Amino acid sequence: MAGRIRDSDIAEVRDRNRIDELVGDYVALRPAGPGSLKGLCPFHDEKSPSFQVRTSHNTYHCFGCGAHGSAIDFLMQIDQLGFVEAVEKLADRVGYRLTYEGGGSSVQRDRGTRSRLLAANKAAAEFYAGELRAPGEAQRAREFLAERGFDQAAAEQFGCGFAPGGWEKLTKHLLGLGYSLDELEKAGLSVPGQRGHRDRFQRRLLWPIRDLGGDVVGFGARRLFDDDRIEAKYLNTPETSIYHKSKVLFGLDKAKRDIAKSRQAVIVEGYTDVMAMHLAGVPTAVASCGTAFGEDHVAVLRRLLLDDSFDRGEVIYVFDGDAAGQAAALKAFDGDQQFSAQTFIATAPDGMDPCELRQAKGDTAVRDLVARRSPLFTFAIRSILDEYDLGTVEGQTAALKRCVPLVAQIRQVELRDGYARRLAGWTGWADEAQVVRRVRETAGQPADQRQTSRRRVRPVEPSAPEGPALPPRDDPRLRVQREVLKSALQVPALAGPVYDTLPDDAFSHEGYLAVHRAILAAGGTSTGYSGASWVAAVTEAINPPSYGRLVAELAVEPMQSREADDHRYVSSMLTALQGALVERQVAEIKSRLQRISPVTDADEYHELFGDLVALEQYKKALRDQAIGGQWSA
């Protein structure tokens, strides 16, 4: 077994992995000031971005739930990894070879860990891909792909493979690579049988399913042979510690950057549909794996879409044009309003799916299918209306009775009223106001209510962080103190050595005082440290440790500078803080002078008066420095 990872290696791995690139694999980020990015938090549901990434310090912080830390912390939290596994995965990510104290140079993982299970799945994917090219039964898998318009290059692009027949070909192969039967069972690759462990998938075409980080976490397997004893057309990896079908989407590892860039997600129904879409020039297509598209899938896409606005993104459901596809579209109506973005539906003609459409009419037809999308609300309502004879009063009445509750479900008030008016027109009902009134009443809104509101995604409120209360970020009385601490953490070279001379009295909130003391305990701003290592040192020195969250906030929150020159801004904040401290000292001395007699307490009076004169002169000097834009210790 490998020994302990060297501290220097841990620091190297942390610094080599850019936090914005790592987080960008899971969250769409947009600029939020110099050296700062923001997006929707991946650790709790929210309607507006509160998750901030500070590229200059390689750290992140969520102002909603308090999650914070370095690249290592992010990977531990997002993938539920242990510390060692996170460091090893990040080392692999940048091609850095770790050295283990007491264990030599090695990349050996402890058995049964997430890293081992991911490695086993990766080895299985490579084995299956090789089998797809082999003679014999794999020919049927190659024919299946070719019949659907996919050549060898397409198969390789999506990692397609073939599970060979026999009892334990994959199992034996992976055992030969050093994996244990327990690991193969935990990864969902092998299952115990009467003759020992056997391969889970046999004689089937396979697609590897990858997580957002690109790791293979499971497989989808398509039936090929009529004599296959398992009649289910598709089999998927069972739920494991690394594969959760409700949280993974096939093709998302390839589509994530295009989804974030275009703010568009196209949701299709199957593996071949995803392949057809991507090959036809729709690189934002994804599909659920062996389960219905659900809330967890929505949460994943919302983060990639930066889904905080109705008019800045779109989600397009693409279903088969048959009755089953229309039923699926109507079901999607219920989940639609979890998105803030606009939602659409596209159905191919003649009951075709996207793969069949590409074969029949080419890539352009697939792209046109997406371009001709219709609003989901319109499609759902019109699909129901098609079931009624709207040429009769009876048909109109029945259609309204069916559709009014559907329209009432629309959360965005202005959309709801708009579709209520359209419903009146589509059914041919003469009294439009009556339909609007019925929809409002069904929605629980007073019929004469005129106010409108944006459609909102109902967030899950994060639980209140434990520990002492943090100072409010927008308190104007504490603004200067907060800005000075941010400068000490973010640009220590500009804050020091002046910052290190500040006394405890300069900070009036106990949280800010704790951070100030931790900065000094870590060596002060003049130590030459910066970035993530500096923030980590201050966090380690903070007392009580619960204020570590405040350090994380201050390390990523952009400074409120309007100056082009950071040095000038930091200097002005230090001057302002010292000026405020001097003001308090002057006020205190003046108060004491009023309470003593210059006759009976002459010595004390004259001493205090001398201090007052010196402080007034110092205050004037600070004012002159602020005006002149100069600063010196």
Side-chain angles (χ1 to χ4, degrees):
M1 179 184 292
R4 179 178 179 273
I5 302 174
R6 292 190 312 188
D7 289 342
S8 58
D9 280 2
I10 294 172
E12 191 71 22
V13 167
R14 182 184 59 212
D15 293 340
R16 285 197 187 190
N17 280 273
R18 288 186 50 174
I19 191 70
D20 55 326
E21 294 179 352
L22 178 64
V23 173
D25 284 339
Y26 302 83
V27 179
L29 298 171
R30 67 184 182 203
S36 185
L37 302 165
K38 66 180 179 180
L40 293 175
C41 180
F43 305 123
H44 80 283
D45 290 338
E46 57 181 4
K47 63 184 179 182
S48 57
S50 63
F51 186 84
Q52 202 134 26
V53 171
R54 194 71 173 172
T55 55
S56 57
H57 299 90
N58 241 17
T59 56
Y60 68 93
H61 180 81
C62 176
F63 292 97
C65 68
H68 64 272
S70 65
I72 297 173
D73 300 303
F74 181 82
L75 203 58
M76 288 174 64
Q77 193 166 0
I78 196 73
D79 283 345
Q80 298 297 300
L81 301 179
F83 178 81
V84 172
E85 285 185 285
V87 173
E88 289 175 336
K89 185 172 181 179
L90 290 173
D92 291 343
R93 190 171 183 270
V94 296
Y96 185 83
R97 189 170 181 83
L98 298 171
T99 299
Y100 297 77
E101 295 177 343
S105 180
S106 173
V107 291
Q108 175 70 30
R109 269 69 164 166
D110 291 340
R111 291 187 179 275
T113 62
R114 177 184 173 89
S115 297
R116 288 275 296 183
L117 300 186
L118 289 174
N121 271 288
K122 179 182 179 182
E126 293 170 349
F127 172 83
Y128 290 140
E131 288 293 318
L132 182 62
R133 298 187 294 269
E137 287 187 317
Q139 177 64 27
R140 178 69 192 98
R142 295 192 293 270
E143 291 173 354
F144 178 94
L145 292 171
E147 289 166 1
R148 284 155 182 78
F150 305 124
D151 57 15
Q152 181 178 344
E156 292 176 353
Q157 179 180 341
F158 288 89
C160 296
F162 177 71
W167 185 261
E168 54 185 7
K169 288 186 178 180
L170 173 69
T171 300
K172 280 187 174 181
H173 173 74
L174 295 178
L175 289 175
L177 295 179
Y179 297 97
S180 67
L181 286 173
D182 181 61
E183 287 176 322
L184 301 185
E185 189 175 340
K186 286 180 178 179
L189 298 169
S190 299
V191 294
Q194 293 180 347
R195 300 185 320 196
H197 279 72
R198 63 172 176 81
D199 298 345
R200 176 174 295 276
F201 304 114
Q202 298 181 28
R203 304 173 71 214
R204 288 197 171 223
L205 173 63
L206 290 164
W207 288 268
I209 301 168
R210 301 176 185 272
D211 62 14
L212 272 171
D215 290 318
V216 179
V217 294
F219 295 89
R222 207 314 183 157
R223 190 174 191 259
L224 296 173
F225 300 97
D226 293 337
D227 61 348
D228 189 334
R229 289 180 297 175
I230 300 176
E231 294 187 359
K233 182 182 290 187
Y234 284 95
L235 290 178
N236 284 77
T237 296
E239 292 285 308
T240 69
S241 61
I242 60 173
Y243 177 75
H244 306 284
K245 61 184 179 182
S246 64
K247 297 182 179 180
V248 294
L249 290 164
F250 178 70
L252 191 58
D253 58 303
K254 296 182 179 297
K256 61 186 178 183
R257 299 209 179 275
D258 288 293
I259 289 174
K261 181 179 179 180
S262 65
R263 300 196 71 172
Q264 177 198 79
V266 177
I267 302 166
V268 297
E269 293 189 276
Y271 304 115
T272 56
D273 292 335
V274 171
M275 294 177 68
M277 282 282 182
H278 281 250
L279 294 173
V282 185
T284 57
V286 297
S288 57
C289 304
T291 186
F293 186 82
E295 291 184 4
D296 289 333
H297 297 127
V298 170
V300 171
L301 288 180
R302 286 196 66 234
R303 293 193 292 270
L304 290 174
L305 287 164
L306 194 52
D307 182 42
D308 62 345
S309 173
F310 173 72
D311 55 0
R312 294 185 61 189
E314 58 182 35
V315 177
I316 304 170
Y317 295 94
V318 179
F319 295 111
D320 298 354
D322 56 15
Q326 291 191 0
L330 292 175
K331 186 176 181 181
F333 183 96
D334 296 331
D336 159 75
Q337 296 180 86
Q338 298 175 74
F339 289 105
S340 291
Q342 298 181 69
T343 48
F344 301 87
I345 189 165
T347 55
D350 303 323
M352 290 188 289
D353 60 33
C355 181
E356 294 167 336
L357 179 64
R358 177 173 178 261
Q359 286 180 275
K361 300 184 178 181
D363 292 347
T364 301
V366 175
R367 294 194 296 270
D368 287 346
L369 170 67
V370 175
R372 292 195 309 267
R373 65 209 183 279
S374 300
L376 180 57
F377 293 145
T378 298
F379 180 87
I381 297 168
R382 294 300 296 266
S383 295
I384 293 175
L385 293 179
D386 287 343
E387 301 175 13
Y388 296 89
D389 180 4
L390 299 179
T392 67
V393 175
E394 289 81 6
Q396 292 174 335
T397 302
L400 284 174
K401 186 176 181 179
R402 174 94 176 273
C403 290
V404 162
L406 187 69
V407 176
Q409 294 177 30
I410 300 175
R411 293 177 185 169
Q412 188 176 340
V413 176
E414 62 266 33
L415 276 183
R416 188 166 66 219
D417 284 356
Y419 275 102
R421 287 188 287 270
R422 284 198 173 189
L423 178 60
W426 289 334
T427 57
W429 197 263
D431 191 347
E432 180 182 285
Q434 182 185 24
V435 176
V436 173
R437 183 168 60 252
R438 287 179 60 186
V439 167
R440 288 179 175 176
E441 290 171 349
T442 304
Q445 175 186 355
D448 60 350
Q449 185 172 340
R450 301 297 181 187
Q451 69 180 37
T452 60
S453 63
R454 301 295 293 172
R455 175 170 53 152
R456 294 175 179 173
V457 175
R458 190 174 300 169
V460 176
E461 294 296 332
S463 57
E466 298 180 358
L470 302 187
R473 299 200 303 274
D474 55 356
D475 189 337
R477 298 168 300 177
L478 301 175
R479 173 182 173 271
V480 173
Q481 296 178 37
R482 190 176 186 90
E483 291 298 291
V484 167
L485 289 172
K486 284 193 288 188
S487 70
L489 289 168
Q490 297 177 22
V491 284
L494 298 183
V498 176
Y499 176 88
D500 297 340
T501 66
L502 295 174
D504 288 355
D505 292 346
F507 301 93
S508 57
H509 191 282
E510 62 179 10
Y512 290 155
L513 176 58
V515 174
H516 173 62
R517 287 174 173 170
I519 289 172
L520 298 183
T525 56
S526 300
T527 59
Y529 290 115
S530 63
S533 57
W534 170 236
V535 175
V538 175
T539 303
E540 186 175 348
I542 196 75
N543 186 30
S546 51
Y547 274 130
R549 181 187 175 201
L550 181 56
V551 175
E553 279 192 7
L554 298 172
V556 302
E557 184 180 304
M559 290 186 290
Q560 300 177 17
S561 172
R562 297 182 180 178
E563 299 274 356
D565 183 1
D566 283 343
H567 184 273
R568 184 184 182 91
Y569 178 73
V570 172
S571 296
S572 68
M573 288 296 101
L574 286 165
T575 300
L577 184 61
Q578 287 209 331
L581 176 61
V582 171
E583 287 282 7
R584 293 199 299 271
Q585 292 172 335
V586 166
E588 182 181 347
I589 290 177
K590 286 182 177 179
S591 176
R592 290 175 61 187
L593 285 173
Q594 290 176 355
R595 296 195 301 270
I596 62 177
S597 169
V599 177
T600 57
D601 301 302
D603 291 342
E604 183 181 1
Y605 185 89
H606 289 302
E607 182 179 353
L608 286 173
F609 192 81
D611 291 342
L612 178 61
V613 171
L615 284 172
E616 291 284 9
Q617 291 175 343
Y618 183 42
K619 185 172 71 172
K620 181 179 182 301
L622 289 173
R623 189 181 300 112
D624 292 342
Q625 290 167 1
I627 294 173
Q630 300 297 322
W631 179 260
S632 63

